[in-house]
Amino acid sequence: MSAERSDPPATVAELEEGLRQLHRMEMQTKLQLDRVESLVTAAIKILHRADIVHEKAVEAEAVEQRTKLFAERGEDARVYLGPEVDKYTVDVPDIDCASLMHLCKARCCRLSVALDFKDLDDGLRWEYSRPYELRRRPSDGYCIYSEKETHRCECYDKRPSICRTYDCREDKRVWEDFAAKKPAPWRDDVGVAPPLVQIRMPKSDTR
Ligand code: SF4
Ligand code: SF4
């Protein structure tokens, strides 16, 4: 006999709020670790000055230990957050996307974009395995809000600040020569590296 639920299942919004809280806690832990690291470093320096331990020997040992740990753990997990700006008032570059889209195929919408908490409040979707990177379609690497045929942005009014302020004109991943309207060769991997991502801590968590 299956147990009957007395409460409705959690909504996506509730789940995401929970995840955000987890990520905040994770960042706080990271900051606390930074503090511990600075204390240990200070202690080593004091002991070195007192000729009790030798700083270089400690550093060499630490590098060896770090290399070992890195090999064991792989790439550190990170939380990506977009710039803390008011996306509704940022300066937008003067680019006539509508007339260029048939050439560029909206390559900008295959780059990695970090969301800010305001974007999350606006309901924009993110990659659960790479918080808070704007979610992309596995099938073609485009942002999930890029309409498949036209590449029109389906969340245009709420799009993240990075999308608004991004200037593709000098980006060689997008244009070989913007003035000559010559797009860069197509790259399958372009969405993988997070070139537009900015990593920062929320203001309330910084010391
Ligand atoms: S790549 Fe440049 S021109 Fe093309 S849609 Fe993006 S911002 Fe507009
Ligand atoms: S949110 Fe809109 S402008 Fe930004 S990457 Fe997605 S489709 Fe492109």
Side-chain angles (χ1 to χ4, degrees):
M1 190 177 78
S2 63
E4 204 173 304
R5 290 188 64 110
S6 58
D7 57 330
T11 63
V12 169
E14 285 169 332
L15 177 68
E16 291 199 351
E17 184 54 39
L19 285 170
R20 283 166 66 174
Q21 179 61 10
L22 274 178
H23 296 144
R24 273 181 197 279
M25 288 165 67
E26 187 186 323
M27 283 189 278
Q28 279 168 347
T29 305
K30 162 91 174 56
L31 286 167
Q32 280 160 356
L33 279 175
D34 286 349
R35 261 212 307 249
V36 171
E37 186 180 350
S38 56
L39 281 172
V40 171
T41 305
I44 291 168
K45 283 189 182 301
I46 291 166
L47 291 171
H48 177 81
R49 281 200 290 273
D51 208 20
I52 295 170
V53 299
H54 290 282
E55 205 175 331
K56 292 255 178 275
V58 175
E59 271 170 21
E61 184 65 30
V63 167
E64 200 176 306
Q65 290 303 321
R66 229 179 12 246
T67 309
K68 205 171 135 206
L69 278 177
F70 189 79
E72 281 168 16
R73 292 180 188 161
E75 191 192 341
D76 279 355
R78 295 204 175 127
V79 173
Y80 300 91
L81 282 170
E84 204 168 12
V85 293
D86 179 356
K87 65 181 178 181
Y88 296 109
T89 61
V90 291
D91 289 334
V92 178
D94 186 18
I95 302 173
D96 184 4
C97 294
S99 74
L100 294 167
M101 208 97 97
H102 68 289
L103 296 170
C104 66
K105 310 274 188 246
R107 281 164 169 74
C108 57
C109 299
R110 296 180 74 238
L111 301 177
S112 179
V113 173
L115 301 180
D116 198 350
F117 285 144
K118 176 74 184 111
D119 301 321
L120 301 177
D121 291 339
D122 282 345
L124 297 185
R125 313 291 299 158
W126 46 278
E127 301 279 0
Y128 288 156
S129 60
R130 293 172 64 89
Y132 297 103
E133 198 177 310
L134 185 57
R135 192 175 291 184
R136 287 194 300 263
R137 280 191 297 270
S139 56
D140 58 11
Y142 275 95
C143 162
I144 57 164
Y145 297 107
S146 174
E147 206 274 313
K148 273 192 175 171
E149 300 300 321
T150 63
H151 300 306
R152 197 180 58 86
C153 176
E154 290 176 331
C155 67
Y156 192 78
D157 291 342
K158 292 181 177 176
R159 70 198 190 286
S161 63
I162 289 179
C163 298
R164 291 166 198 257
T165 56
Y166 172 64
D167 189 335
C168 66
R169 288 173 285 196
E170 297 299 324
D171 192 333
K172 294 299 174 201
R173 296 164 304 180
V174 177
W175 296 104
E176 201 166 298
D177 185 339
F178 179 80
K181 298 188 177 175
K182 189 172 180 199
W186 188 259
R187 280 174 54 175
D188 285 333
D189 66 332
V190 81
V192 175
L196 295 181
V197 161
Q198 299 200 10
I199 305 165
R200 65 166 176 76
M201 304 294 175
K203 248 188 192 152
S204 58
D205 292 338
T206 51
R207 305 283 195 280

